[in-house]
Amino acid sequence: KNEVEQSPQNLTAQEGEFITINCSYSVGISALHWLQQHPGGGIVSLFMLSSGKKKHGRLIATINIQEKHSSLHITASHPRDSAVYICAVLGRADKLIFGTGTRLQVFP
Amino acid sequence: DAGITQSPRHKVTETGTPVTLRCHQTENHRYMYWYRQDPGHGLRLIHYSYGVKDTDKGEVSDGYSVSRSKTEDFLLTLESATSSQTSVYFCAISEGRNTEAFFGQGTRLTVV
């Protein structure tokens, strides 16, 4: 079993929909990252959080340390949000452990 | 955008040949990382550096070596490329161990 699990693996939405991507992990962590990867492109850091909630524009990330779970929400989704969203946790020895990503497609 | 550049962006090489990938940063960050990304796997750490001439192995280091002679450059070398090393390679930098990471655009390497 992977130490970082994301769900769903694939997600299709209509423009304007509210989207939730989930990340569960099984190790102790000091921080959790959400990353975005566009097709053929590099990887961009969206959030780094260790507790509570962070918001940036239409993106919201939450983490529940006790439940070992984080969610990434996208409000009023847009086709330009189509990308792979990756969860990564900073585990022991300060090494990042990555999930396999959630592929999101938003259609107009 | 963080100043991090990978070169080359694409490379095709033959089995058994040596290959060097370069990661260059202009942020003066202490930590630099090399990851590989393969279908069905999350990014996996190959090697990382925590300072000039200070490097350590990651989870998939076999067949790879690294060098960091200057703060700004982190080189990844495949001593004798194999087909299993066909992958997309990402370099990343961070100021500290528990700080935001910034990624390069990736290098697509094909070993034929």
Side-chain angles (χ1 to χ4, degrees), chain A residues 37 45 48 90 94-95 98, chain B residues 37 43 48 97-98 100:
Chain A
Q37 184 175 25
S45 176
M48 185 179 110
L90 192 63
D94 292 331
K95 303 272 177 38
F98 294 80
Chain B
Q37 185 179 43
L43 279 89
Y48 70 102
R97 284 183 165 179
N98 195 5
E100 189 177 8

Side-chain angles (χ1 to χ4, degrees), chain A residues 16-80:
Chain A
E17 285 185 5
F18 180 84
I19 288 160
T20 296
I21 298 169
N22 297 297
C23 175
S24 296
Y25 53 92
S26 57
V27 296
I29 71 168
S30 53
L32 182 143
H33 296 248
W34 281 103
L35 310 165
Q36 181 192 56
Q37 184 175 25
H38 281 283
I43 297 169
V44 175
S45 176
L46 298 175
F47 295 103
M48 185 179 110
L49 64 165
S50 54
S51 65
K53 174 173 148 178
K54 284 191 177 181
K55 183 175 191 288
H56 185 252
R58 295 179 294 106
L59 301 178
I60 303 166
T62 64
I63 187 168
N64 184 320
I65 297 292
Q66 286 74 29
E67 307 240 325
K68 295 189 173 177
H69 182 268
S70 175
S71 293
L72 177 67
H73 305 286
I74 305 175
T75 61
S77 59
H78 189 277
R80 65 174 174 265

Side-chain angles (χ1 to χ4, degrees), chain B:
Chain B
D1 287 346
I4 176 169
T5 307
Q6 290 185 230
S7 58
R9 293 291 314 280
H10 302 270
K11 186 167 182 68
V12 180
T13 193
E14 293 187 348
T15 298
T17 60
V19 176
T20 295
L21 309 182
R22 181 184 184 229
C23 178
H24 178 77
Q25 61 146 330
T26 58
E27 305 296 321
N28 202 35
H29 282 356
R30 180 181 174 192
Y31 289 82
M32 298 185 77
Y33 310 83
W34 276 109
Y35 294 95
R36 59 178 290 174
Q37 185 179 43
D38 303 291
H41 294 272
L43 279 89
R44 293 180 290 174
L45 181 65
I46 304 171
H47 282 280
Y48 70 102
S49 169
Y50 47 96
V52 173
K53 292 190 173 25
D54 292 322
T55 65
D56 205 352
K57 295 179 180 180
E59 61 183 304
V60 291
S61 59
D62 287 349
Y64 302 95
S65 62
V66 289
S67 66
R68 191 167 177 201
S69 58
K70 298 185 287 185
T71 298
E72 56 266 35
D73 288 325
F74 192 33
L75 303 180
L76 176 71
T77 298
L78 290 65
E79 303 289 347
S80 177
T82 68
S83 58
S84 65
Q85 293 175 312
T86 292
S87 186
V88 180
Y89 291 85
F90 284 95
C91 175
I93 62 174
S94 65
E95 256 188 304
R97 284 183 165 179
N98 195 5
T99 60
E100 189 177 8
F102 301 95
F103 289 80
Q105 289 294 101
T107 295
R108 183 173 296 276
L109 176 68
T110 303
V111 183
V112 298

